[in-house]
Amino acid sequence: MIANVHQLAVLVAAGSVAFALTMSLFMLSLFLRRRRNERSAAREQSDKLLLSRELLDAIAGTEPCIMPAFDEAKPSVRLGAVSHLLQLLRGGDRARLLAVVERKGLFADALSRLHSRQAARRIDAMRLLEQFASPACIQGLTSALAGDHSGAVRLEAAGALARMGQLPPLADLVRMLELDRRPLTRLHQALFRSIAARDTDAIVALADDPQWRPLRAPLVDALGWIENYAKLETLAQYGVDTDAEVRAAALRAARKIGHPGAAKWVTALLDDPDERVRIQAAQTCGALRLGDARPALERLNDDPSWWVRMRARGALDLLGAGPAVRPA
């Protein structure tokens, strides 16, 4: 019995020593890894500083070709240094920096990955190119939008170009995304909105083209993002469109523009036969503070649609005190 207890004690002691030794080795490995990471980070920071000096000399025209540190640095370090400088530079200096690094082939790898067989690699490359927005990056993304065989990848390229403010003209965009035979998504709607101010006339022309009738509602909706009161007249024409979705889109656009000049036709749509339109009309009357719409909004207390009644009550609340509204 005593021998068994002794053996157990020896085993426990040995286990404790082994555990302590293992933990010591683990802590030592963590310490060494941290030291290595700190040294690596310090070295990378020093490399970035040296690269930044070379790049600044290059854009100043003092040493446009001699950049040994830049040439020898890892791609991630070069990209990091350029990204940092782009946050600091503006105007001509920024353009000269991008021209220098393009000549040095900084984006060559990402541009080549736009032709990868894997869609995920092509999309990753697009996200990298979007960060820099140099002429070569924009051209690469535009080529991908025009020629990639995957609709999802082309849409990703369009999104990147939209965020850079570099989308092609509307007619080209519609053709490249094959919107005549593909279902519209929220991203398509966002793309239309992003170029509404630039391509206003093209949006109206396309919306009026019978060939593109399925796109009329999202195109009309995009007109709300032009911040141009002169287009309220155009929206009024869409407010009497035979398609209820187009009428609703015109109301959303008028609400986004936010000018009470749309009062007459917006108020008239409170009596629209389509529930969706009456909902949008009530919201727009409230958002634009159209006091003259109060009688029509009060009549909507008897509307058969609970949603219409709720939106009418919300609009009346925005218009201020008035006759009591009957509960639903």
Side-chain angles (χ1 to χ4, degrees), residues 13-227:
S16 298
V17 171
F19 178 75
L21 181 60
T22 302
M23 290 303 297
S24 297
L25 291 173
F26 178 69
M27 294 299 293
L28 178 61
S29 69
L30 288 179
F31 173 76
L32 293 175
R33 182 184 300 176
R34 180 175 178 179
R35 286 292 300 275
R36 185 171 62 251
N37 290 341
E38 288 176 347
R39 289 177 180 175
S40 176
R43 186 166 56 251
E44 187 170 308
Q45 186 62 31
S46 177
D47 290 344
K48 282 184 179 179
L49 181 60
L50 181 57
L51 264 60
S52 296
R53 288 173 179 168
E54 285 188 347
L55 289 166
L56 289 172
D57 287 341
I59 64 176
T62 55
E63 296 289 348
C65 298
I66 304 174
M67 299 173 62
F70 186 87
D71 294 335
E72 295 173 7
K74 295 187 297 184
S76 61
V77 176
R78 285 186 287 175
L79 288 168
V82 174
S83 179
H84 175 69
L85 283 179
L86 286 175
Q87 297 177 38
L88 305 176
L89 299 176
R90 296 290 183 272
D93 287 340
R94 183 186 178 93
R96 282 190 290 273
L97 173 62
L98 288 172
V100 167
V101 297
E102 277 192 355
R103 288 198 299 271
K104 287 290 184 178
L106 181 64
F107 310 121
D109 178 63
L111 289 169
S112 68
R113 281 189 280 128
L114 290 177
H115 305 287
S116 169
R117 291 183 179 182
Q118 300 177 12
R121 283 176 57 82
R122 300 200 299 275
I123 289 173
D124 285 342
M126 290 175 184
R127 290 170 181 168
L128 175 64
L129 295 172
E130 180 188 343
Q131 297 176 36
F132 296 95
S134 74
C137 296
I138 294 168
Q139 179 56 47
L141 289 167
T142 303
S143 297
L145 170 60
D148 198 281
H149 59 81
S150 166
V153 174
R154 290 200 303 275
L155 192 55
E156 188 73 30
L161 288 166
R163 290 185 288 273
M164 296 157 59
Q166 296 293 335
L167 275 175
L170 176 63
D172 293 336
L173 177 66
V174 168
R175 175 179 53 79
M176 291 172 180
L177 293 178
E178 299 177 333
L179 293 184
D180 56 334
R181 55 181 181 274
R182 290 183 179 272
L184 289 181
T185 67
R186 289 182 180 274
L187 183 52
H188 292 127
Q189 183 69 77
L191 295 177
F192 292 157
R193 290 172 176 175
S194 72
I195 58 174
R198 187 194 73 184
D199 292 359
T200 304
D201 292 339
I203 285 178
V204 173
L206 205 65
D208 290 343
D209 189 336
Q211 177 187 353
W212 298 102
R213 177 82 186 184
L215 296 182
R216 182 172 294 179
L219 288 169
V220 170
D221 176 274
L223 292 175
W225 297 74
I226 60 176
E227 299 180 356

Side-chain angles (χ1 to χ4, degrees), residues 283-303:
Q283 287 183 278
T284 304
C285 286
L288 300 183
R289 303 299 195 272
L290 303 183
D292 290 345
R294 183 186 297 280
L297 287 168
E298 290 174 347
R299 287 197 301 271
L300 291 182
N301 270 328
D302 297 321
D303 196 276

